[in-house]
Amino acid sequence: MKRSWSECEWLPNAGTLTLIAVTTTSAGIVVEAEGPSYGRCPACGRRSDVRHSRYWRSLKDLAAQGRSVVLRVHVTRWRCRNGCCAAAIFADRLVGVSAAHVHHTSRCGSVIHLVGHALGGRGGERLLARLGMAVSDDTILRLLKRPAEPSTPELVHVVGIDVWAWQKGQQHFGTILVDLERRRVIDLLPTRAAGSVATWLAARPSIHTISRDRHGPYAEGIRGGAPQAREVADRFHLVSNLRDVVQQELGRLRRFLVVPHHPPARVMVPRHVAPRLVRRTPSNGVRQERGLDDSRRAVQLERFHLVKRLQAAGLSAAAIMRETGIGRKLVLTWIRLRELPVRNRMAPRPGMPEFYREYLWRRWTAGCQSVKRLMAEIQPLGYVGGYAGLAKLVARWRYDAAALTRPRRVAAAVAVAVTIVTRHVSPQVAAALLGQPRPLLTARQAEIVDALKHHCPGCTTMRRLMLSFRTILRVGKVPTLHRWMARATATEIDGLQRFVRKLRQDLGAVEGAVTERWSNGPVDGHINRLKTLRRQMYGRAGVDLLRARLLPLVHNAAR
């Protein structure tokens, strides 16, 4: 007895099909059905009941209790009776059951697309095989990359733009665009060129706000494709840029990044090997630079002798590290040596600032302490380097001269602390701690910050400016930002002055970061998701597949 398709629990709801039989085999379940009794020409739309031939079409369907199901439909080829129609023969269109030229039903295709969107090709293939719907990974990826049916696009008003790397260590980047209002990916571009960004923005005139980092091509692309949009610089990148500037400045003052180290009480050190490390003040001779090198060499030599005395007393490398605060790598190196080796220095070349040290020192002591003027003087002599390298060389002279003008009681007070063991803090750690408010610091971190403010010149100023900049980005106003930029310029710290110059070049976006609430936080989250997907696909995914897996599922639903 035949039953209609809609009454059969095995088959989708398609009233034009009729169930013939359900057969259980060792491979799974086979459901046979018959097509409609007439056809309609897809070219002209005329109905036809004149058969040309018949054939079986096999479609993979949803599994039943873990067993695979194959739907076999007896499809008819019809003759078109319209003499003016170009299609003389056409086959049944299984509308609501399956799309043309596919080997699965529509409901099975929806499940395949859902699994492939979440797991990709290989992972989706393993899961679907376990569920009783075995398909190859190539089929899954083909369904994912199939273009969706055209629909009415949603208007986008606020967009976040950022860059992502195709491969680590290579100068090959793409662009990700995120709808910040809905917090989802809109599109993925294979490059980060200003032209491609401008073309994409020009096709969407509804955009009125764009959040971005301070990458130059994006600013150019926004001016070309969406001049009406309000630009907003990402606050996280602004704070990160300021921290990098402070870290570079602290790198030039590395010898001042010392903090007291308190050894744990459980380590017992013999009295005859008690640590005797003293902070050295810069030499004030004519060759000030050579005196500083000798001072640093003396401090390093005392630290080396201290490690050797503790080693002779029977302490292990771990105990020496806990007692002195010296790093593990340095302690393990020194315990294998008998004498501290002399540090090798590369001979200066004509294109390096070091090659002109004597000339620069004479001009510096003569009163010419402008880096731009010194650079203009040595360029005719053959200097081909940049401003930053020259500023790094002369920065120590400026700071050391400031240290020499301090009252003598400060140097005397430091010299009294003979038994205080000190350790150096890296510029990365120091910059991170200087940018944190005191309530967020631990007791040890607060002690390090206080020591840096006491010993390192300029740390107090840099910390005050970093904290005030964070506050301005969070709850400040545009006039407050301009006053902060004036104070940073007045400090005469080269790094902060360069940072302010960069802010002025992109002032509109920086002011937008103060006044607008949007940021690139959701964009960074989707970039992490993109990297995860690429690792899951072994880094072989092209832009089409990445776009299919990043875009929301509703835009890529299988048909």
Side-chain angles (χ1 to χ4, degrees):
M1 178 179 178
K2 295 183 179 180
R3 291 186 294 172
S4 65
W5 183 285
S6 59
E7 298 174 350
C8 180
E9 61 184 4
W10 291 100
L11 304 175
N13 184 14
T16 57
L17 297 183
T18 304
L19 179 66
I20 298 176
V22 178
T23 306
T24 302
T25 65
S26 58
I29 300 174
V30 179
V31 179
E32 296 182 353
E34 187 176 4
S37 58
Y38 65 91
R40 192 171 296 276
C41 179
C44 63
R46 184 172 181 177
R47 175 172 171 171
S48 174
D49 55 3
V50 180
R51 286 187 175 89
H52 173 272
S53 59
R54 307 186 73 179
Y55 68 97
W56 289 96
R57 182 180 178 186
S58 297
L59 302 172
K60 189 182 298 295
D61 199 8
L62 296 179
Q65 297 182 353
R67 305 189 66 181
S68 62
V69 177
V70 177
L71 172 62
R72 300 185 72 242
V73 183
H74 211 187
V75 182
T76 302
R77 293 188 181 94
W78 305 96
R79 296 182 184 272
C80 182
R81 309 306 296 172
N82 186 0
C84 300
C85 181
I89 300 173
F90 62 92
D92 286 330
R93 296 293 188 268
L94 303 180
V95 180
V97 178
S98 176
H101 311 296
V102 298
H103 298 279
H104 54 263
T105 61
S106 296
R107 61 183 185 181
C108 180
S110 299
V111 174
I112 293 174
H113 188 275
L114 178 64
V115 173
H117 185 271
L119 301 179
R122 296 286 179 87
E125 179 185 14
R126 290 191 292 267
L127 178 60
L128 290 172
R130 182 65 181 84
L131 296 177
M133 295 179 288
V135 292
S136 66
D137 57 337
D138 292 334
T139 300
I140 296 174
L141 298 183
R142 186 169 58 251
L143 289 178
L144 280 175
K145 293 186 288 187
R146 177 176 297 174
E149 294 183 0
S151 59
T152 304
E154 297 179 344
L155 294 180
V156 181
H157 303 289
V158 185
V159 175
I161 303 179
D162 207 344
V163 65
W164 56 276
W166 278 95
Q167 189 172 353
K168 185 177 180 180
Q170 296 187 2
Q171 299 298 321
H172 186 194
F173 301 95
T175 301
I176 186 172
L177 301 109
V178 177
D179 185 353
L180 295 181
E181 291 182 318
R182 302 177 180 89
R183 304 175 74 89
R184 63 188 184 188
V185 179
I186 309 173
D187 204 351
L188 208 66
L189 303 181
T191 65
R192 62 171 179 178
S196 60
V197 174
T199 303
W200 190 92
L201 293 174
R204 294 159 179 82
S206 61
I207 298 175
H208 59 73
T209 304
I210 300 177
S211 175
R212 59 171 177 84
D213 61 5
R214 299 168 63 200
H215 184 55
Y218 289 155
E220 181 181 351
I222 293 172
R223 287 192 296 268
Q228 79 286 353
R230 169 71 165 167
E231 298 183 44
V232 179
D234 184 52
R235 288 180 286 274
F236 172 80
H237 287 91
L238 288 174
V239 175
S240 179
N241 293 338
L242 179 58
R243 185 173 61 246
D244 293 341
V245 167
V246 173
Q247 178 180 329
Q248 292 176 4
E249 288 296 322
L250 294 177
R252 302 186 182 102
L253 305 172
R254 190 183 295 269
R255 61 187 174 279
F256 297 110
L257 302 182
V258 291
V259 296
H261 175 71
H262 305 289
R266 64 178 180 273
V267 180
M268 302 301 296
V269 183
R271 181 172 298 179
H272 65 280
V273 293
R276 300 180 60 84
L277 292 183
V278 184
R279 289 189 68 245
R280 301 287 183 174
T281 57
S283 174
N284 57 354
V286 177
R287 296 294 183 180
Q288 184 180 9
E289 190 70 23
R290 185 180 301 171
L292 289 174
D293 293 339
D294 296 340
S295 177
R296 287 192 292 266
R297 171 70 180 180
V299 172
Q300 194 77 338
L301 192 60
E302 287 191 16
R303 289 159 60 89
F304 175 77
H305 290 326
L306 172 61
V307 171
K308 300 305 290 184
R309 289 197 299 269
L310 295 176
Q311 180 187 7
L315 271 68
S316 63
I320 295 174
M321 287 185 287
R322 289 193 299 267
E323 179 65 25
T324 62
I326 302 175
R328 176 176 179 272
K329 183 177 180 180
L330 200 56
V331 170
L332 294 179
T333 302
W334 281 355
I335 61 178
R336 294 192 296 266
L337 300 176
R338 292 185 178 181
E339 296 182 357
L340 184 64
V342 179
R343 181 180 179 182
N344 295 327
R345 293 183 179 273
M346 182 178 61
R349 298 188 300 273
M352 299 172 57
E354 193 74 22
F355 188 81
Y356 308 95
R357 175 186 291 273
E358 297 294 335
Y359 176 81
L360 293 172
W361 177 252
R362 289 196 305 268
R363 298 289 294 133
W364 186 270
T365 54
C368 180
Q369 299 185 359
S370 172
V371 180
K372 291 184 178 180
R373 187 178 301 174
L374 292 174
M375 184 173 177
E377 292 181 5
I378 64 176
Q379 280 180 342
L381 301 179
Y383 178 66
V384 295
Y387 177 88
L390 181 58
K392 182 179 179 181
L393 175 65
V394 303
R396 64 182 66 179
W397 299 343
R398 178 177 291 110
Y399 288 123
D400 293 338
L404 290 173
T405 59
R406 294 177 182 174
R408 297 182 58 85
R409 61 178 181 272
V410 176
V414 174
V416 170
V418 176
T419 59
I420 296 180
V421 179
T422 60
R423 70 180 183 90
H424 284 260
V425 180
S426 67
Q428 295 88 344
V429 174
L433 294 180
L434 290 178
Q436 290 294 326
R438 188 167 290 273
L440 300 181
L441 299 175
T442 63
R444 177 57 180 164
Q445 291 174 345
E447 183 182 356
I448 293 176
V449 170
D450 293 337
L452 292 176
K453 292 167 61 177
H454 177 71
H455 295 140
C456 184
C459 274
T460 303
T461 303
M462 289 186 285
R463 174 171 171 79
R464 185 183 302 112
L465 290 173
M466 291 180 71
L467 295 180
S468 59
F469 188 71
R470 289 166 57 101
T471 305
I472 291 172
L473 292 180
R474 187 171 60 251
V475 295
K477 298 180 180 179
V478 173
T480 310
L481 173 65
H482 287 281
R483 289 194 295 269
W484 182 92
M485 295 168 65
R487 291 200 309 270
T489 305
T491 58
E492 298 184 357
I493 299 178
D494 294 336
L496 293 178
Q497 292 177 349
R498 290 197 305 272
F499 179 73
V500 172
R501 286 196 295 268
K502 292 293 185 181
L503 292 184
R504 295 189 187 280
Q505 294 175 4
D506 201 13
L507 188 58
V510 177
E511 292 177 351
V514 177
T515 58
E516 301 290 336
R517 65 182 179 90
W518 306 105
S519 71
N520 265 25
V523 184
D524 293 333
H526 282 293
I527 291 178
N528 290 335
R529 176 173 161 232
L530 184 148
K531 294 178 181 178
T532 302
L533 292 179
R534 283 184 55 80
R535 293 188 184 100
Q536 186 185 54
M537 294 183 287
Y538 306 100
R540 300 176 181 174
V543 66
D544 294 336
L545 183 55
L546 282 175
R547 184 185 291 113
R549 294 197 63 185
L550 278 174
L551 295 182
L553 191 61
V554 64
H555 296 295
N556 293 292
R559 303 296 181 181

